[in-house]
């Protein structure tokens, strides 16, 4: 079999977290590890993974991705050991590290370490404090935004590179411009917006897992579900993305990078989005739990998608096994006819398989819950994307599109101005005594 490039997301403390975010889908994964008081990756698992990952990976640059739960709970000593192991097994390759954190534990010592070893830090923040604190609270119910902002200030002082990850939920979806402007103000030059979609299982009393797994999970396929109250609504998610895009494309192209917009431009250039949710196939972004168990995907950490354990079977064998190949291909093979005939399929490819739990207009299963959002958003941005793709084709920076938009807006203001309106040129005079008079001359 051809060996596709892949990445592995490391969960050094599994689903353990120091927050109790109301919408978190990972906290209840504790039930997958019964009889354990603490969840912590052993040195054996860390060493085995590092050695195997570097032996099986790219000959150039290799990235280690640390997530949770809250990965900083593993402590600095563990990450120092991780960096030492990476150096030992690097074999001349460039090593990168990225860590996704809620920021609560970051202090001067943490920031010094992250800066020294050039970690890229993803900070989870859902918007301004009054928006962020709606769902993201401590176990005692206390707000967390001020502590996150303090950590961002510490990282800036230490020279730590960071980006932001915003979970788009039922609350903050109502405030797209406020969220985007806030992220710009705190210095986020690279922004990720992740739609929150979860289903609640209607189970009998005493059963542990309350959130539904993927539609293809045999254990949940016959259990009734309903969409969780904090999940984003498709129509509002479309409006959220369109509002931010219009703001971004008119003034921030080349200054602020939004992962979803960058991926869309890649699709319009014909090279694929580069994002797993919009790729034709899945299967190249796996998850390693603290136990050494390897799973097909972060959203598929369920028994049916456990590939094996790297202490028992080699990482390469598990990643490139037929089971994972089938998992990846199923995304493309399971598209309903509505997707197959959609003109936006090249940009969407059906979205994340975990969200494909509604029926199409033909009554087929497998349509993405967010289909309305994606279809509407991609149609909205199509003219601008086509223009930027043409610019790239002839060697013009896409940021030049902002000049064209300003000219369009100026023409619109002049053509719609009433004779007694203030002149759009800003002179302070009435339009009829200013530019209207000039434009009427031969």
């Amino acid at each position: 079999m051809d060996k596709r490039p892949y990445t592995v997301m490391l969960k050094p403390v599994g689903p353990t977290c120091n927050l109790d975010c109301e919408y978190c889908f990972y906290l209840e994964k504790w039930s997958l590890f019964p009889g354990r008081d603490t969840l912590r990756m052993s040195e054996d698992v860390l060493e085995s993974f590092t050695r195997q990952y570097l032996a099986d990976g790219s000959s150039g640059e290799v990235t280690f991705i640390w997530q949770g739960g809250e990965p900083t709970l593993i402590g600095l000593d563990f990450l120092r050991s991780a960096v030492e192991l990476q150096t030992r097994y690097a074999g001349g390759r460039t090593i990168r590290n990225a860590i996704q954190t809620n920021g609560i534990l970051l202090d001067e010592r943490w920031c010094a370490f992250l800066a020294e070893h050039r970690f890229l830090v993803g900070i989870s923040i859902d918007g301004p404090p009054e928006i962020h604190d709606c769902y993201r609270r401590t176990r005692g119910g206390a707000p967390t935004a001020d502590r996150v902002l303090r950590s961002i200030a510490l990282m800036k002082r230490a020279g730590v590179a960071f980006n932001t990850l915003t979970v788009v939920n039922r609350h903050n979806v109502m405030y797209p411009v406020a969220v985007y402007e806030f992220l710009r103000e705190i210095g986020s030059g690279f922004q990720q917006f992740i739609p929150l979609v979860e289903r609640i299982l209607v189970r009998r009393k005493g059963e542990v897992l309350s959130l539904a797994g993927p539609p293809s999970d045999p254990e949940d396929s016959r259990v009734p579900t309903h969409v969780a109250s904090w999940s984003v609504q498709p129509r509002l998610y479309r409006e959220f993305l369109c509002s931010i895009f219009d703001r971004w494309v008119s003034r921030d192209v080349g200054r602020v990078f939004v992962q979803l917009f960058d991926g869309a431009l890649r699709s319009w250039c014909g090279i694929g989005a580069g994002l797993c949710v919009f790729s034709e196939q899945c299967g190249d972004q796996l998850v390693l739990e603290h136990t050494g168990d390897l799973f097909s995907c972060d959203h598929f950490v369920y028994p049916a998608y456990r590939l094996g354990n790297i202490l028992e079977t080699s990482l390469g064998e598990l990643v490139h096994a037929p089971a994972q190949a089938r998992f990846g291909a199923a995304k493309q093979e399971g598209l309903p006819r509505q997707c197959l005939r959609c003109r936006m399929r090249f940009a969407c490819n059906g979205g994340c398989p975990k969200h494909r739990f509604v029926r199409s207009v033909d009554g087929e299963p497998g349509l993405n819950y967010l289909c309305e959002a994606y279809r509407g958003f991609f149609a909205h941005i199509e003219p601008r994307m086509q223009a930027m793709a043409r610019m790239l084709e002839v060697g013009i920076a896409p940021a030049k599109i902002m000049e064209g938009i300003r000219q369009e807006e100026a023409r619109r203001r002049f053509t719609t101005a009433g004779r007694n309106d203030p002149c759009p040129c800003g002179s302070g005079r009435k339009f009829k005594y200013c530019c209207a008079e000039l434009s009427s001359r031969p």
Side-chain angles (χ1 to χ4, degrees):
M1 293 177 59
D2 292 335
K3 289 190 174 184
R4 294 171 57 195
Y6 67 93
T7 59
V8 178
M9 185 184 296
L10 294 155
K11 304 271 188 173
V13 292
T16 309
C17 192
N18 50 356
L19 297 187
D20 191 17
C21 301
E22 185 177 346
Y23 59 53
C24 183
F25 76 96
Y26 222 78
L27 284 177
E28 69 173 19
K29 295 296 174 68
W30 265 87
S31 63
L32 299 179
F33 312 105
R36 292 174 178 263
D37 295 328
T38 60
L39 308 182
R40 183 181 176 87
M41 183 175 287
S42 69
E43 292 287 342
D44 286 346
V45 171
L46 175 64
E47 190 278 335
S48 180
F49 172 78
T50 305
R51 174 172 44 79
Q52 295 186 61
Y53 190 46
L54 287 168
D56 195 54
S58 165
S59 59
E61 186 176 292
V62 180
T63 300
F64 287 74
I65 304 171
W66 306 90
Q67 286 218 9
E70 174 47 45
T72 59
L73 289 170
I74 197 68
L76 275 174
D77 288 344
F78 182 92
L79 287 181
R80 288 192 182 100
S81 296
V83 171
E84 291 172 2
L85 286 167
Q86 292 168 8
T87 302
R88 182 191 308 173
Y89 293 114
R93 279 163 291 192
T94 300
I95 305 295
R96 307 284 186 196
N97 281 278
I99 187 167
Q100 184 66 41
T101 174
N102 58 37
I104 300 299
L105 295 181
L106 299 186
D107 56 17
E108 287 83 357
R109 291 173 58 251
W110 266 100
C111 289
F113 170 83
L114 296 170
E116 178 186 357
H117 297 288
R118 298 183 179 181
F119 272 62
L120 173 62
V121 178
I123 284 284
S124 298
I125 187 164
D126 288 353
E130 66 275 12
I131 294 175
H132 172 90
D133 289 334
C134 178
Y135 293 119
R136 299 189 65 82
R137 293 181 169 266
T138 67
R139 295 186 180 279
T144 61
D146 287 347
R147 297 168 71 178
V148 178
L149 293 175
R150 175 192 59 83
S151 295
I152 290 175
L154 287 173
M155 287 195 295
K156 286 180 178 178
R157 285 202 293 270
V160 178
F162 76 95
N163 58 38
T164 54
L165 185 153
T166 299
V167 176
V168 186
N169 54 64
R170 187 67 62 97
H171 181 60
N172 65 0
V173 74
M174 304 295 293
Y175 309 98
V177 173
V179 169
Y180 179 67
E181 292 298 335
F182 174 77
L183 296 176
R184 287 179 77 251
E185 289 169 9
I186 64 173
S188 176
F190 188 92
Q191 303 173 10
Q192 297 180 62
F193 295 105
I194 308 298
L196 176 61
V197 178
E198 293 293 341
R199 293 176 298 149
I200 305 294
L201 287 166
V202 182
R203 288 190 181 275
R204 295 186 299 273
K205 185 177 180 181
E207 297 190 23
V208 180
L209 289 176
S210 62
L211 298 179
S216 54
D217 192 325
E219 293 188 14
D220 291 343
S221 60
R222 294 183 177 87
V223 180
T225 65
H226 62 270
V227 176
S229 62
W230 18 257
S231 294
V232 70
Q233 296 160 301
R235 177 183 60 82
L236 294 179
Y237 185 50
R238 180 196 67 214
E239 294 174 4
F240 178 91
L241 294 177
C242 290
S243 295
I244 292 177
F245 179 83
D246 290 345
R247 201 89 166 179
W248 171 82
V249 78
S250 65
R251 67 176 192 186
D252 289 332
V253 180
R255 302 185 188 118
V256 176
F257 297 88
V258 179
Q259 185 188 50
L260 181 56
F261 304 163
D262 290 348
L265 182 55
R266 287 173 54 94
S267 293
W268 258 273
C269 289
I271 56 177
L275 300 175
C276 65
V277 293
F278 298 132
S279 298
E280 284 189 313
Q281 294 193 357
C282 291
D284 57 3
Q285 297 189 31
L286 301 94
V287 165
L288 186 78
E289 279 290 348
H290 63 289
T291 56
D293 288 343
L294 190 71
F295 290 85
S296 293
C297 170
D298 189 28
H299 288 287
F300 287 74
V301 179
Y302 294 90
Y305 302 95
R306 178 184 177 274
L307 298 169
N309 190 289
I310 63 165
L311 297 180
E312 300 166 356
T313 308
S314 75
L315 176 67
E317 187 176 346
L318 295 175
V319 171
H320 304 298
Q324 186 65 2
R326 288 193 297 270
F327 171 81
K331 180 181 181 183
Q332 185 177 21
E333 295 167 355
L335 289 175
R337 285 190 296 271
Q338 182 176 336
C339 290
L340 294 175
R341 61 177 177 253
C342 178
R343 70 185 186 87
M344 292 301 168
R345 178 189 167 191
F346 75 97
C348 173
N349 286 305
C352 180
K354 188 181 178 184
H355 299 160
R356 294 182 182 177
F357 55 81
V358 298
R359 290 188 176 271
S360 71
V361 293
D362 306 312
E364 290 183 288
L367 187 69
N368 197 300
Y369 171 78
L370 294 173
C371 174
E372 177 188 351
Y374 291 140
R375 190 174 65 249
F377 168 67
F378 287 130
H380 177 80
I381 69 174
E382 185 172 31
R384 303 300 191 197
M385 287 294 164
Q386 288 175 336
M388 287 190 283
R390 287 194 295 268
M391 290 176 181
L392 284 169
E393 192 173 352
V394 296
I396 299 174
K400 287 288 185 181
I401 196 172
M402 296 185 290
E403 294 180 14
I405 292 173
R406 284 193 290 269
Q407 292 169 2
E408 287 177 14
E409 181 60 22
R411 286 193 296 270
R412 186 194 65 79
R413 288 198 303 270
F414 279 101
T415 56
T416 59
R419 289 178 56 78
N420 291 312
D421 291 341
C423 188
C425 75
S427 67
R429 303 171 66 192
K430 287 186 177 181
F431 181 53
K432 65 184 179 183
Y433 297 132
C434 192
C435 292
E437 186 179 58
L438 293 172
S439 63
S440 64
R441 296 176 182 175

